[in-house]
Amino acid sequence: MTTAHNITLAPAATLTEKELWALFVTHTMQSTFSMGPTVERYKPDDLLRDPGIYGHTAQLSCNVADAAEEVDNPESELDCFIEDIECYLTNLKRVREDFNRLKDSLLIESDDDESLYRMPAIGDSREAA
């Protein structure tokens, strides 16, 4: 008696850039030295939503205008806003660069115009300390 084994392989899970982004922002990123120890952990969503040291960027345009009118030293107040915005821009650039590297590593070569990405291996999802 002969038994035939037929296996139909399902296509690999693919994601659009929007779907990949949704996974990326909610999972913890980890930077590790080549020698092994973890240097830093963060969630991209935390950096994107961080209002800065002074909290001024949460409602930026209204706060800048109101604060400059209400304080005795508007130059110092503007310096605080500038510092917050520079830090926030640094965070935005970091998140963009990390997402770009992730996209490059998961891109599925295709003749189509739409880019598709492999499902990433999602490891330990504990919060960053």
Side-chain angles (χ1 to χ4, degrees), residues 2-120:
T2 305
T3 305
H5 296 284
N6 292 327
I7 300 173
T8 304
L9 296 176
T14 59
L15 303 168
T16 63
E17 183 171 339
K18 183 176 181 177
E19 292 167 331
L20 183 61
W21 174 258
L23 286 173
F24 171 75
V25 297
T26 60
H27 285 82
T28 302
M29 296 296 294
Q30 179 172 302
S31 299
T32 306
F33 278 131
S34 60
M35 295 176 282
T38 298
V39 178
E40 180 183 26
R41 293 169 58 104
Y42 80 96
K43 279 190 176 178
D45 196 50
D46 292 342
L47 294 185
L48 292 173
R49 296 183 186 280
D50 182 6
I53 297 168
Y54 305 102
H56 287 124
T57 57
Q59 296 179 355
L60 182 61
S61 61
C62 292
N63 286 352
V64 170
D66 292 345
E69 289 177 6
E70 296 172 6
V71 296
D72 293 332
N73 187 349
E75 184 178 9
S76 176
E77 189 71 4
L78 291 175
D79 286 341
C80 291
F81 277 104
I82 290 167
E83 185 178 331
D84 268 5
I85 292 167
E86 287 173 343
C87 289
Y88 185 65
L89 287 174
T90 299
N91 287 344
L92 286 178
K93 289 175 184 178
R94 178 178 183 185
V95 169
R96 181 194 63 202
E97 290 165 5
D98 285 347
F99 183 62
N100 192 26
R101 283 193 322 226
L102 179 67
K103 282 178 31 180
D104 287 346
S105 71
L106 299 175
L107 181 64
I108 297 171
E109 297 295 328
S110 172
D111 294 334
D112 296 340
D113 288 341
E114 182 182 17
S115 296
L116 293 176
Y117 304 89
R118 289 182 287 111
M119 176 70 83

